[in-house]
């Protein structure tokens, strides 16, 4: 387990013991910065660590060392990358504070998606991209403007407004997205975890959709906090990171169990 925090990177061994890795001044093999926003593993098992001062690739010898790689920049103001993923065709998607870049396998830029430029049907809800998920037919992006889906063939963007089950409130600030084996999208937001049926969402004629389930601090069962820093879905449960706890939500019955983090630590991301 890899957990990114505002105080370095924590890696747990098989016994659950955490080792901390941090930035060391003058050491080019340490993290470039202690604020770790995301951790990403590619198809070749390379592990990328995105920080406030750039991206590093983790290597293993007698311990872990980190090799810094450059951020993407061009004539459009550059991109501080905070999240990245490959799609099913080998294209690299880079999200950050300045929209979403799609790079071809030859590293040329195919398109730079933004909220304030480009054709109207290819504009994002917000330029601050928090997380990405490719389901094979499209790229899902969550941001400070909510949920967007970019169609793989046309490149068009569809924006969704997701409301919690009562239908009274919509969550625009979204931080994470993942899909379970039942075809449900799990959305980490500023107000808890929202669960939606993907097929029903995509077949809806209306871009406003009411979620099937909502976990938050006062729900029954409850999660540890409303602000979800990260989430990951396995075959059996959804792991939800809420500051100083990892909450495990069962996919079978929706029950919640809790795993506290080391005392005094608050985490942003996990792998």
């Amino acid at each position: 387990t890899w957990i990114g925090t505002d105080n370095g990177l924590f890696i747990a061994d098989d016994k659950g013991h955490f080792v901390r890795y941090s930035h060391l001044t003058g050491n080019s093999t340490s993290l470039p910065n202690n604020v770790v926003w995301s951790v990403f593993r590619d198809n070749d098992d390379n592990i990328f660590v995105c920080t406030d001062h750039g991206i590093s690739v983790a290597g293993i010898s007698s311990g872990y060392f980190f090799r810094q790689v450059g951020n993407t920049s061009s004539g459009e103001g550059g991109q501080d990358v905070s999240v990245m993923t490959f799609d099913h065709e080998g294209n690299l998607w880079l999200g950050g504070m300045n929209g979403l870049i799609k790079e071809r396998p030859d590293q040329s830029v195919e398109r730079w998606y933004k909220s304030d430029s480009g054709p109207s049907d290819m504009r994002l809800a917000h330029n601050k991209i928090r997380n990405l998920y490719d389901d094979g037919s499209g790229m899902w992006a969550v941001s400070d403007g909510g949920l967007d889906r970019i169609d793989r063939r046309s490149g068009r963007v569809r924006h969704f407004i997701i409301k919690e089950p009562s239908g009274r409130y919509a969550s625009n600030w979204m931080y994470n997205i993942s899909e379970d084996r039942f075809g449900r999208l799990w959305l980490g937001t500023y107000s808890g975890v929202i669960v939606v049926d993907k097929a029903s969402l995509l077949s809806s004629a209306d871009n406003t959709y009411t979620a099937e389930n909502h976990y938050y601090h006062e729900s029954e069962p409850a999660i540890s906090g409303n602000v979800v820093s990260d989430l990951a879905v396995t075959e059996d449960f959804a792991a939800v990171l809420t500051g100083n706890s990892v909450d495990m939500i069962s996919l079978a019955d929706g029950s919640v169990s809790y795993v506290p983090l080391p005392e005094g630590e608050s985490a942003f991301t996990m792998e």
Side-chain angles (χ1 to χ4, degrees), residues 30-258:
S30 68
L31 289 175
N33 185 263
N34 282 339
V35 179
V36 178
W37 289 105
S38 65
V39 180
F40 169 72
R41 184 191 301 267
D42 69 12
N43 294 331
D44 296 320
D45 283 336
N46 297 307
I47 299 177
F48 296 83
V49 182
C50 300
T51 77
D52 261 5
H53 287 173
I55 305 171
S56 285
V57 179
I60 304 174
S61 54
S62 57
Y64 287 97
F65 66 93
F66 302 90
R67 175 175 57 85
Q68 189 165 1
V69 297
N71 277 348
T72 300
S73 62
S74 76
E76 297 191 51
Q79 173 74 302
D80 290 325
V81 178
S82 58
V83 62
M84 58 193 295
T85 193
F86 288 93
D87 63 25
H88 282 62
E89 297 179 328
N91 301 299
L92 176 62
W93 296 72
L94 303 164
M97 297 291 292
N98 196 22
L100 178 60
I101 299 170
K102 180 182 180 182
E103 281 191 359
R104 301 181 183 93
D106 65 3
Q107 297 187 343
S108 62
V109 174
E110 178 175 323
R111 183 171 296 279
W112 196 321
Y113 292 91
K114 295 185 178 184
S115 64
D116 50 3
S117 63
S120 59
D121 60 352
M122 292 186 177
R123 292 192 180 190
L124 301 171
H126 199 282
N127 276 339
K128 190 171 185 177
I129 304 300
R130 300 283 191 170
N131 200 221
L132 300 167
Y133 168 64
D134 173 49
D135 66 3
S137 62
M139 180 63 67
W140 297 84
V142 293
S143 71
D144 285 8
L147 178 63
D148 289 325
R149 179 183 180 273
I150 302 173
D151 185 77
R152 180 173 64 87
R153 294 185 177 179
S154 68
R156 294 189 178 93
V157 179
R158 183 180 180 186
H159 177 62
F160 295 97
I161 299 172
I162 308 297
K163 294 188 175 182
E164 44 77 42
S166 74
R168 291 178 298 172
Y169 307 109
S171 181
N172 289 330
W173 287 1
M174 294 187 178
Y175 300 134
N176 325 99
I177 180 171
S178 191
E179 183 177 359
D180 67 21
R181 57 191 173 93
F182 302 108
R184 298 175 299 189
L185 294 176
W186 291 70
L187 305 168
T189 78
Y190 192 75
S191 55
V193 177
I194 292 175
V195 186
V196 303
D197 181 81
K198 187 178 75 170
S200 299
L201 176 66
L202 290 174
S203 63
S204 173
D206 192 350
N207 288 342
T208 299
Y209 186 85
T210 301
E212 281 75 24
N213 212 336
H214 182 206
Y215 295 89
Y216 57 102
H217 187 55
E218 296 179 350
S219 64
E220 183 58 46
I223 57 176
S224 299
N226 284 340
V227 180
V228 177
S229 303
D230 201 0
L231 63 81
V233 175
T234 72
E235 286 292 305
D236 300 315
F237 58 83
V240 179
L241 187 61
T242 58
N244 60 357
S245 175
V246 180
D247 300 344
M248 306 294 190
I249 304 175
S250 169
L251 300 187
D253 60 14
S255 60
V256 182
S257 58
Y258 311 92

